[in-house]
Amino acid sequence: IGVGLVGFGLFFVLFGMLLYFDSVLLAFGNILFLSGLVFIIGFRRTFTFFFQRPKLKGTSFFFGGVLIVLMRWPLLGMLLEAYGFITLFR
């Protein structure tokens, strides 16, 4: 279930970017991606991954970008998410 949710989440994010940053598709993709991540590695490990002290900057940018996308500012939100994603996984 988790891999399917992550796959659909990535599909909706890419499809939302192809359709000139459609905010509904991007928001749906973000929600599916995060819920799929929880299904794959578990709630506790997801929480501890995102909220480690050295990764708080990346986490705040990533979740801030998700929040901005949900508020229908897709371009700014995706830029914040991308910066947060790069900061989290470097």
Side-chain angles (χ1 to χ4, degrees):
I1 292 173
V3 174
L5 287 174
V6 168
F8 277 121
L10 291 175
F11 170 75
F12 279 113
V13 166
L14 290 174
F15 196 56
M17 289 170 62
L18 286 174
L19 291 175
Y20 301 112
F21 292 97
D22 183 32
S23 60
V24 175
L25 289 174
L26 291 173
F28 194 61
N30 286 331
I31 292 170
L32 284 175
F33 178 76
L34 290 174
S35 63
L37 191 63
V38 170
F39 269 99
I40 291 174
I41 64 174
F43 184 75
R44 182 177 305 240
R45 288 180 62 189
T46 304
F47 186 80
T48 56
F49 171 75
F50 278 112
F51 293 104
Q52 294 174 4
R53 183 166 295 281
K55 296 183 179 186
L56 281 178
K57 181 180 175 184
T59 300
S60 62
F61 273 99
F62 183 76
F63 284 121
V66 170
L67 184 67
I68 297 293
V69 167
L70 289 173
M71 292 172 41
R72 297 196 183 248
W73 287 48
L75 187 60
L76 178 63
M78 288 306 291
L79 288 174
L80 288 174
E81 280 184 47
Y83 179 72
F85 191 80
I86 290 168
T87 306
L88 276 172
F89 292 105
R90 67 179 161 131

